[in-house]
């Protein structure tokens, strides 16, 4: 099966190229970059040296010239909407890693401050919650990295909560490969700090998913940047209507995720999921406040790994094809 990666020179695109090497059915045949057309893939992603034979070069095709069975859109928000509909109309299945199809049109336009020029409804690809919608779908909108970790941390308890406060620590690759003052080494190294304290765009996705779970809880979110390359550790403070015992909440989580290959009930440690598609979750109750923590790799379960998980559901492959690798602990 031929796979095109639009935006393959970025971090999520590079991670798709890495992970798809382990897939039994997929062959990456087209990697796009506007700035780097003609450059060998492995010049930008040195981890891939020797993996792509014959050598794969970046290209910059018109959208109508992209030839593939499946395309991943690993481009910034607003860029994906120029590709999605056109690829779909030519029978190419699409997984979009950007924010363009994650929210309802009016919410997207409010949160991102731009008009949507090619809106349609799409399944929201957290397979653990929306698997039925993703199976055989022609298009799946891949969730944001923070909302993936946060939603999986709170999902089993969401409907019992009146307030949920997400506090996340993220690695710097979450910001993409474009350098900025925030990600400049002296500013981020040996340092920790909050950003977008109450206004991060991913809050809208979290609210959407918590409501989808049948919850009326208020949802709050504050992200922090920490000096690691990969990973998101989320602490969810779940304030309940009625107190719940430790045994009860633990059972609820284990039951909720008992058939989920990628969600493991164990103490979340960033390094244990790094490079893998796993989300580790654990929970502790003190009565009406339950603390649930999750750890994911923002580039894998938070982006490219989950995108491949979605492709597997869309194409009828084994859900974990290409994604069975363990994390890189320590
Ligand atoms: N980084 C993460 O942890 C993460 C997690 C979840 C979701 N995402 C989402 O995944 C997408 C990619 O993220 P990233 O971190 O990989 O970003 P990135 O490192 O900045 O890469 C962006 C890629 O898109 C290409 N691109 C930029 N503008 C384009 C346009 N108008 N048309 C076509 N290609 C364009 C860039 O190459 P050229 O400029 O050379 O074309 C580059 O290959 C974003 O929507 C991001 O929000 C990222």
């Amino acid at each position: 099966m031929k796979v095109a990666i639009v935006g393959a020179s970025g971090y999520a695109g590079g991670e798709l190229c890495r992970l798809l090497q382990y897939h039994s059915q997929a062959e990456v045949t087209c990697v796009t970059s506007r700035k780097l057309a003609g450059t060998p893939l492995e010049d930008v992603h040195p981890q891939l040296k020797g993996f792509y034979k014959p050598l794969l070069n970046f290209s910059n095709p018109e959208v109508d010239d992209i030839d593939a069975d499946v395309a991943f859109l690993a481009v910034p928000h607003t860029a994906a909407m120029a590709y999605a509909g056109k690829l779909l109309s030519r029978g190419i299945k699409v997984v979009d890693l950007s924010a363009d199809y994650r929210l309802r049109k009016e919410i997207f336009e409010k949160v991102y401050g731009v008009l949507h020029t090619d809106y349609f409804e799409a399944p929201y690809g957290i397979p653990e919650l929306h698997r039925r919608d993703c199976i055989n779908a022609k298009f799946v909108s891949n969730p944001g990295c923070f909302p993936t970790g946060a939603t999986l941390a709170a999902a089993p308890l969401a409907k019992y909560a009146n307030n949920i406060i997400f506090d996340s620590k993220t690695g710097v690759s979450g910001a993409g490969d474009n350098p900025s003052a925030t990600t400049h080494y002296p500013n981020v190294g040996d340092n920790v700090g909050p950003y977008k304290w109450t206004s991060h765009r991913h809050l809208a996705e979290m609210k959407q998913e918590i409501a989808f779970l049948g919850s009326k809880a208020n949802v709050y979110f504050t992200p922090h940047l920490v000096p690691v390359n990969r990973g998101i550790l989320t602490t969810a403070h779940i304030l309940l209507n009625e107190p719940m015992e430790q045994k009860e909440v633990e059972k609820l989580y284990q039951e909720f995720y008992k058939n989920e290959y990628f969600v493991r009930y164990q103490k979340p440690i960033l390094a244990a999921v790094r490079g893998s598609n796993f989300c580790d979750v654990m929970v502790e109750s003190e009565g009406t406040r339950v603390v649930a923590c999750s750890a994911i790799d923002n580039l894998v379960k938070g982006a490219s790994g989950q995108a491949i998980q979605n492709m597997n559901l869309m194409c009828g492959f084994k859900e974990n094809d290409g994604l069975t690798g363990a994390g890189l602990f320590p």
Side-chain angles (χ1 to χ4, degrees):
M1 193 187 65
K2 288 192 284 185
V3 170
I5 300 170
V6 181
S9 62
Y11 286 161
E15 196 64 357
L16 282 164
C17 293
R18 181 180 78 85
L19 292 167
L20 285 167
Q21 281 302 303
Y22 305 109
H23 199 279
S24 72
Q25 309 288 323
E27 189 191 351
V28 180
T29 52
C30 169
V31 287
T32 87
S33 163
R34 296 161 311 161
K35 297 189 200 103
L36 294 162
T39 306
L41 177 71
E42 61 190 38
D43 284 11
V44 176
H45 300 303
Q47 72 277 27
L48 300 175
K49 176 91 178 165
F51 277 84
Y52 281 88
K53 287 178 188 147
L55 210 63
L56 198 56
N57 289 345
F58 290 108
S59 60
N60 185 19
E62 292 297 325
V63 57
D64 290 336
D65 294 330
I66 292 174
D67 172 32
D69 301 298
V70 174
F72 291 94
L73 304 180
V75 296
H77 68 273
T78 70
M81 60 179 90
Y83 288 88
K86 289 183 181 162
L87 292 168
L88 276 174
S89 71
R90 292 174 44 229
I92 299 173
K93 292 193 171 200
V94 177
V95 183
D96 176 24
L97 283 79
S98 87
D100 286 1
Y101 296 89
R102 293 180 196 155
L103 300 166
R104 288 207 318 273
K105 183 173 188 286
E106 63 279 14
I107 298 180
F108 172 84
E109 291 182 343
K110 190 169 165 213
V111 171
Y112 286 85
V114 288
L115 288 178
H116 206 303
T117 54
D118 189 23
Y119 183 77
F120 51 84
E121 270 185 29
Y124 184 80
I126 295 185
E128 289 74 11
L129 303 186
H130 299 279
R131 183 169 286 111
R132 234 182 295 159
D133 296 336
C134 300
I135 291 172
N136 291 328
K138 294 187 167 31
F139 182 97
V140 168
S141 173
N142 214 57
C145 47
F146 285 121
T148 296
T151 304
L152 290 174
L157 271 177
K159 66 178 178 207
Y160 305 106
N162 50 47
N163 287 288
I164 303 177
I165 302 160
F166 293 118
D167 175 316
S168 299
K169 282 95 189 161
T170 181
V172 188
S173 63
D177 75 348
N178 233 343
S180 72
T182 314
T183 59
H184 189 46
Y185 185 79
N187 295 337
V188 74
D190 198 18
N191 195 9
V192 180
Y195 65 103
K196 297 187 180 155
W197 295 25
T198 60
S199 63
H200 195 286
R201 286 161 167 172
H202 283 178
L203 176 59
E205 282 175 57
M206 294 173 189
K207 287 183 173 172
Q208 175 180 279
E209 287 309 287
I210 295 301
F212 166 80
L213 285 156
S215 174
K216 292 194 167 60
N218 301 306
V219 181
Y220 306 95
F221 170 52
T222 302
H224 303 76
L225 196 60
V226 294
V228 298
N229 280 336
R230 288 167 179 252
I232 296 178
L233 189 95
T234 295
T235 304
H237 303 268
I238 305 170
L239 308 181
L240 301 177
N241 296 310
E242 304 287 339
M244 275 174 121
E245 299 279 339
Q246 174 66 14
K247 269 197 187 143
E248 211 179 337
V249 287
E250 221 169 88
K251 196 166 158 227
L252 203 63
Y253 272 67
Q254 284 169 347
E255 199 53 34
F256 197 90
Y257 290 125
K258 70 172 187 249
N259 296 322
E260 296 301 341
Y261 180 87
F262 291 115
V263 184
R264 305 184 295 196
Y265 189 81
Q266 72 167 340
K267 187 174 160 191
I269 297 175
L270 276 194
V273 296
R274 190 191 298 141
S276 85
N277 199 49
F278 291 102
C279 173
D280 287 351
V281 183
M282 206 161 173
V283 72
E284 192 168 310
S285 172
E286 60 165 11
T288 50
R289 183 181 75 127
V290 174
V291 180
C293 285
S294 72
I296 59 167
D297 183 323
N298 56 294
L299 287 175
V300 189
K301 185 61 174 162
S304 308
Q306 186 149 256
I308 293 170
Q309 192 181 347
N310 282 317
M311 175 192 80
N312 288 340
L313 292 171
M314 295 160 77
C315 297
F317 303 144
K318 247 181 111 182
E319 188 169 331
N320 62 4
D321 197 341
L323 297 170
T324 52
L328 294 176
F329 184 83

